[in-house]
Amino acid sequence: MTVRPYRHRGELVELPSHVQKVAQRTVLVLTDRIVCPPCGPGRGKLRNRASFFQLVEACKGWAGGLPVHAIAYEDLLVFRKPPRTAPWPASSARRFGPTLSCRDT
């Protein structure tokens, strides 16, 4: 999945790291994190291709006296499901002790 940091009220929000943490809580395994600069050719050089919203936030920052720049990258996060584990052996149920039902009390 591609995710990019963004600015909220002038503060940089490192969204790729947040997404990575949430994915790991849901048992996904991060396989790779690749930096992808959104750029293209222009006048013989690679030029930043910032989104409209990035440029607007940068302009707001400069107008407010905060020298911020458009974010020049996004992250490609590659996740996978963890490998399947073998089911618990029947003997493992004995380790947890007896179970009680409502009728036992």
Side-chain angles (χ1 to χ4, degrees):
M1 99 179 31
T2 57
V3 187
R4 77 172 57 139
Y6 68 94
R7 293 195 182 278
H8 180 71
R9 297 185 181 162
E11 294 291 321
L12 184 66
V13 177
E14 178 49 33
L15 188 59
S17 296
H18 293 293
V19 169
Q20 182 179 341
K21 289 175 187 173
V22 169
Q24 287 173 338
R25 281 190 220 133
T26 62
V27 193
L28 290 175
V29 177
L30 180 70
T31 314
D32 209 349
R33 183 174 179 170
I34 303 165
V35 175
C36 304
C39 59
R43 297 186 185 162
K45 297 180 181 180
L46 283 179
R47 301 257 182 209
N48 180 14
R49 300 285 188 221
S51 72
F52 170 78
F53 298 105
Q54 289 175 332
L55 294 174
V56 166
E57 287 299 314
C59 288
K60 283 182 188 177
W62 281 94
L66 185 64
V68 296
H69 299 279
I71 296 164
Y73 74 95
E74 49 190 50
D75 286 69
L76 173 63
L77 302 176
V78 182
F79 297 100
R80 65 174 174 77
K81 290 182 180 179
R84 281 190 127 170
T85 57
W88 286 13
S91 62
S92 66
R94 284 185 240 133
R95 286 187 286 162
F96 299 107
T99 57
L100 297 175
S101 69
C102 293
R103 286 183 237 141
D104 295 334
T105 56

